[in-house]
Amino acid sequence: MDQTKIFSEFLGRKGLKTTSQRKIILRAFLSSQSHCSTEDLYLKLRKSHPKIGYATVHRTLKLLVECGIAIEQHFGDGHARFEPFQFDRHHDHLVCKDCGLIIEFEAPQIEELQKMVAATHEFMIKNHRHELYGLCSRCATK
Amino acid sequence: MDQTKIFSEFLGRKGLKTTSQRKIILRAFLSSQSHCSTEDLYLKLRKSHPKIGYATVHRTLKLLVECGIAIEQHFGDGHARFEPFQFDRHHDHLVCKDCGLIIEFEAPQIEELQKMVAATHEFMIKNHRHELYGLCSRCATK
DNA sequence: ATAGATTTTGATTACCATTATCATTAATAT
DNA sequence: ATATTAATGATAATGGTAATCAAAATCTAT
């Protein structure tokens, strides 16, 4: 089942409506590069659909997160960023403090250790944040 | 060397002045419970030193971070939180999404794995964030 | 110790991403 | 097709953080 249908059914279950803007924003989000901010997506959309407002982009991204299609990230620059959720490819991020480069990494061993930590403290984990901040190889050598 | 002297020397090196407010705020910060926000500290201080303004507390906490005495944390509630830096006791945090409880955990194995991830991607790590969000045992069972 | 130079303070305002508001427009059920 | 309800888009409100500025405090050189 494609994402458009998943989103429509999600909206239907909540008594919300599948509007043309929401479909357009979903398409643009999925075809945009990952880790885009609300503003990134708004500016990108403005070229093809100048009537779509910032507030609608913002609200739709929130809905996509609630629906499970998108994940919201914060990397400390004051802009929320969004990426498509990939069920079978959980990852965390390396963030370059100089140029802003974002690299995804997968570390199943860390995930396992997290579970042990949670068990030790009798915590039921819902989600986590794990970001490594530093300099990418390019920025470290210049 | 105690923290007050460290802070004074830091200020001196930067051409800044050691004021009574800065000394008072440092003392209050060190004796406050960890993970306090600017507002927490401001309200605590107001009882004994009602003339100290919010802006001064805010600026001094930023200086303490720069000096290395404090570490700034963000747990997603929109309030920056501060805790004393402990050189030999690095830790990350479990955060209860229901009651706000914060538990510190140490996981040297995770730290090692982080170094390996960084090396793989040729990143020079400066700092990291690692937080596990969920429900504490009390909130999970009520 | 004193005077002059510079920084700090504290109150207030500005900033800016996010969120709420609301009249108009659009989607859905009957 | 119509009525009902939600969505849109422009704008204003919100709230934590940071900047501003006149008055006060600190530091340096004498």
Side-chain angles (χ1 to χ4, degrees), chain A residues 114-125 127, chain B residues 35 75 91-97 100-106 130-136:
Chain A
Q114 283 180 166
K115 288 178 189 163
M116 290 172 61
V117 166
T120 303
H121 294 90
E122 297 181 58
F123 247 72
M124 182 188 301
I125 299 303
N127 60 293
Chain B
H35 317 116
F75 296 138
H91 59 262
D92 291 299
H93 298 89
L94 288 149
V95 181
C96 179
K97 296 176 94 159
L101 175 70
I102 297 168
I103 294 179
E104 302 174 353
F105 71 88
E106 296 181 68
H130 195 186
E131 291 125 32
L132 310 181
Y133 295 90
L135 296 178
C136 68

Side-chain angles (χ1 to χ4, degrees), chain A residues 17 19 21-22 51 53 56 59:
Chain A
K17 294 169 181 173
T19 63
Q21 288 93 332
R22 286 178 176 163
K51 305 268 267 307
T56 303
R59 285 179 295 221

Side-chain angles (χ1 to χ4, degrees), chain A:
Chain A
M1 186 157 61
D2 72 4
Q3 313 267 54
T4 306
K5 185 161 280 184
I6 291 172
F7 191 36
S8 280
E9 293 189 358
F10 164 81
L11 292 170
R13 277 196 304 280
K14 296 204 58 165
L16 304 180
K17 294 169 181 173
T18 301
T19 63
S20 61
Q21 288 93 332
R22 286 178 176 163
K23 285 189 280 190
I24 290 164
I25 292 168
L26 171 57
R27 264 204 308 278
F29 169 67
L30 292 174
S31 71
S32 75
Q33 68 172 39
S34 204
H35 316 117
C36 67
S37 66
T38 308
E39 192 180 1
D40 290 340
L41 197 56
Y42 169 68
L43 292 177
K44 175 184 171 177
L45 273 162
R46 207 165 57 170
K47 295 174 192 161
S48 50
H49 299 84
K51 305 268 267 307
I52 293 181
Y54 189 96
T56 303
V57 176
H58 171 260
R59 285 179 295 221
T60 303
L61 282 169
K62 291 286 179 187
L63 285 170
L64 291 176
V65 170
E66 193 181 338
C67 173
I69 290 175
I71 289 185
E72 185 173 343
Q73 309 276 0
H74 293 86
F75 295 138
D77 64 349
H79 291 260
R81 293 176 179 281
F82 299 86
E83 67 177 40
F85 173 69
Q86 298 169 280
F87 173 71
D88 52 350
R89 226 179 65 66
H90 172 72
H91 59 262
D92 291 300
H93 298 90
L94 288 150
V95 182
C96 179
K97 296 176 94 159
D98 202 26
C99 72
L101 175 70
I102 296 168
I103 294 179
E104 302 175 354
F105 71 88
E106 296 181 69
Q109 294 176 76
I110 291 178
E111 309 284 325
E112 286 308 311
L113 288 165
Q114 283 180 166
K115 288 178 189 163
M116 290 172 61
V117 166
T120 303
H121 294 90
E122 297 181 58
F123 247 72
M124 182 188 301
I125 299 303
K126 299 282 188 181
N127 60 293
H128 72 263
R129 292 187 51 158
H130 195 188
E131 293 124 33
L132 309 181
Y133 295 89
L135 297 179
C136 68
S137 58
R138 176 193 292 269
C139 289
T141 56
K142 81 182 174 195

